[in-house]
Amino acid sequence: MKVHAIVDDLDTAQRAVAAGASVIQLRVKAPTAVVVERGHGFPGLGVTFIVNDDVDAAIELDADGVHLGQGDEGAERARAHGLWIGRSVATVEEALAADADYLGAGPVWATPSKTDGGPSIGPEGLRRVCAAVDVPVVAIGGIDASRAAACIESGAAGVAVIRAATDPALRRAVDEALGDG
């Protein structure tokens, strides 16, 4: 879970894997048929493959898991098909209530991709979430290579990124922060 790249196409996914992504999350806000069409080729990337918000697409694409928001349904069906479940959280209370195998916590910093929630939680909010749960936490929101170490130091198992998904400096920063570099 070191670098969780959130992408919307196979080309970007391939470049993210080449840059060191260990997880690829397909995020396409469209009907299931479109998500499935865009997801062909993702299972062959050689990394963990997660589908955003669409359990049916995750099942059809033979993904490893599905990432669901707080209000998204389908966790029971996902579990029945052996999928990992990720949940988005911003507070300790949400983290403790989440039925999940991993959590995406944030936004840690302000970012254009996370405009539907409350204020940024900052490294201290991330630290509180990480300390409260026994599942891996992936930090998300405003993260690039210069901020990755702060997330790891706060207890995150890795970082989730959109804009920095193809930046190899991000993986180096995460590895160094984890003592793997």
Side-chain angles (χ1 to χ4, degrees), residues 80-114:
H81 282 86
L83 296 174
W84 291 2
I85 298 174
R87 289 280 189 179
S88 296
V89 301
T91 67
V92 169
E93 293 76 22
E94 289 175 348
L96 291 171
D99 172 23
D101 299 300
Y102 76 91
L103 301 174
V108 179
W109 291 279
T111 178
S113 65
K114 287 288 200 180

Side-chain angles (χ1 to χ4, degrees), residues 24-142:
I24 295 292
Q25 180 174 326
L26 176 61
R27 183 179 184 191
V28 177
K29 301 289 185 178
T32 298
V34 175
V35 176
V36 170
E37 181 180 316
R38 297 273 289 277
H40 289 297
F42 278 71
L45 291 171
V47 298
T48 301
F49 172 42
I50 305 292
V51 173
N52 195 73
D53 292 340
D54 193 326
V55 175
D56 292 328
I59 293 167
E60 192 166 334
L61 287 166
D62 197 27
D64 298 299
V66 62
H67 189 92
L68 301 171
Q70 286 293 311
D72 293 337
E73 296 181 9
E76 301 80 23
R77 219 160 24 88
R79 288 228 186 272
H81 282 86
L83 296 174
W84 291 2
I85 298 174
R87 289 280 189 179
S88 296
V89 301
T91 67
V92 169
E93 293 76 22
E94 289 175 348
L96 291 171
D99 172 23
D101 299 300
Y102 76 91
L103 301 174
V108 179
W109 291 279
T111 178
S113 65
K114 287 288 200 180
T115 59
D116 57 349
S120 303
I121 64 172
E124 185 54 37
L126 176 62
R127 181 181 318 280
R128 286 191 297 272
V129 168
C130 293
V133 297
D134 293 327
V135 298
V137 175
V138 179
I140 187 168

